[in-house]
């Protein structure tokens, strides 16, 4: 009995120790959060228009000839002849209008649009966008935008000072575009479609297919490549492809990812994945700092010497070299141990970038380095 209690206590202790580790390393997610479904996508639209009603902060027509041409063309369509006239107004600005057409948007519904100045306008505050057709990649008009522009910043200036907050030359129009054309795609009539993984991975694609097949009870999903899982509507399924997607998008799948280190050299940011491993390696780092300071001194002549005041240069030069002893980074089991080993060197993030690249060159780093 005593031996049985000892064995039971050992097993229970091991279970309590292993369970938190498994929870830490698992990365479960819903299928709808890690894939894009074929046919359910946005489409980009773009258009060129005019914003009017600006309080003298619009384009300079002499510096922005396209604004002047657009203004004259618009007035001619409205029956106003301005050919040969010297048009001078600072209340108009040429803008580019962009929008994302939502999937399955119906004719007559509305969507938001973004407006950005194209010329040398100072601000779009208080302006109103005139009727602007929004074109797709095929050159067809899918929406019409119009309405008052709301900007995120402001600008104010006087004769000797100016204040600018945010970007006053960009803005948005909430529900400012009316959809005129629908994209012809019938999702419910499809019998097969693809799931596109946002982070392609062979293991994750196979786990998605296994989760779907286990839930449906039939070979419904097949992984085609690291980025694609194909779904086929089962013959005995009670519903269409929309019902199938609704049933499987809530399934939980444990995602996987390759070992990767992402480096942004401009900001000195380093991001490491949990599967990054490093073999035993010795690292030494040395810094050489050269400081040059100019302290010019003013030399005054003696009284009645008829001399002139002069500036005498004075340069202070300081060279400082700090050496770091050779440090051994042990073979890491976890990401935390790897970070602790690199932090023990007492170096800055920018120096750490060079060290990681050097370790990768030696073959001791089992991870991919991606430089942004």
């Amino acid at each position: 009995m005593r031996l049985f209690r000892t064995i039971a206590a050992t097993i229970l202790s091991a279970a309590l120790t292993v369970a938190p580790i498994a929870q830490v390393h698992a990365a479960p997610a819903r299928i709808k959060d890690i894939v894009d479904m074929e046919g359910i996508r946005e489409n980009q639209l773009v258009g060129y228009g005019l914003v009017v009603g600006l309080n003298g902060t619009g384009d300079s027509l002499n510096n922005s000839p396209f604004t002047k041409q657009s203004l004259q063309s618009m007035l001619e369509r409205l029956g106003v002849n301005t050919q040969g006239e010297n048009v001078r107004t600072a209340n108009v600005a040429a803008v580019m209008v962009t929008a994302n057409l939502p999937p399955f948007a119906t004719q007559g519904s509305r969507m938001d649009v973004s407006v950005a100045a194209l010329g040398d306008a100072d601000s779009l505050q208080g302006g109103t966008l005139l009727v602007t057709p929004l074109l797709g990649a095929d050159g067809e008009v899918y929406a019409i935008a119009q309405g008052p522009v709301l900007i995120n910043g402001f600008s104010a200036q006087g004769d000797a000072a100016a204040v600018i907050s945010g970007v006053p030359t960009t803005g948005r129009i909430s529900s400012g575009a009316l959809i005129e054309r629908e994209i012809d795609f019938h999702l419910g009539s499809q019998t097969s479609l693809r799931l596109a993984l946002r982070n392609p991975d062979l293991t994750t694609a196979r786990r998605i297919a296994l989760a779907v097949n286990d839930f449906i009870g039939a070979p419904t999903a097949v992984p085609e490549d690291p980025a694609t899982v194909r779904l086929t509507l089962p013959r005995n399924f009670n519903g269409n492809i929309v019902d199938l997607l609704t049933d499987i998008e809530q399934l939980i799948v444990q995602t996987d990812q390759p070992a990767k280190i992402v480096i942004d050299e401009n900001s000195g940011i380093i991001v490491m994945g949990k599967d990054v491993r490093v073999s035993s390696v010795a690292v030494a780092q040395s810094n050489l700092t050269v400081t040059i300071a100019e302290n010019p001194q003013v030399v005054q002549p003696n009284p009645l010497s008829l001399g002139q005041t002069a500036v005498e240069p004075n340069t202070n030069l300081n060279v400082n070299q700090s050496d770091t002893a050779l440090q051994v980074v042990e073979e890491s089991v976890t990401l935390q141990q790897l970070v602790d080993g690199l932090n023990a060197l007492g170096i800055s993030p920018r120096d750490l970038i060079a060290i990681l690249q050097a370790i990768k060159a030696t073959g001791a780093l089992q991870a991919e380095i991606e430089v942004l």
Side-chain angles (χ1 to χ4, degrees), residues 131 325-326 337:
V131 174
L326 193 66
Q337 293 179 356

Side-chain angles (χ1 to χ4, degrees), residues 281-285 323-329 345:
V281 63
V283 179
Q285 184 256 356
D323 295 328
T324 302
L326 193 66
Q327 301 288 339
V328 177
V329 179
L345 299 174

Side-chain angles (χ1 to χ4, degrees), residues 52-58 90-92 123-127:
V52 299
L54 304 178
N55 187 18
T57 59
N91 298 333
V92 181
S123 175
L124 299 179
Q125 184 175 5

Side-chain angles (χ1 to χ4, degrees), residues 7-19:
I7 295 175
T10 303
I11 295 176
L12 180 60
S13 176
L16 293 176
T17 303
V18 173

Side-chain angles (χ1 to χ4, degrees), residues 284-304:
Q285 184 256 356
S286 177
N287 285 331
L288 178 64
T289 304
V290 179
T291 304
I292 301 175
E294 296 288 347
N295 297 317
Q297 297 180 353
V298 179
V299 179
Q300 296 288 350
N302 293 327
L304 304 178

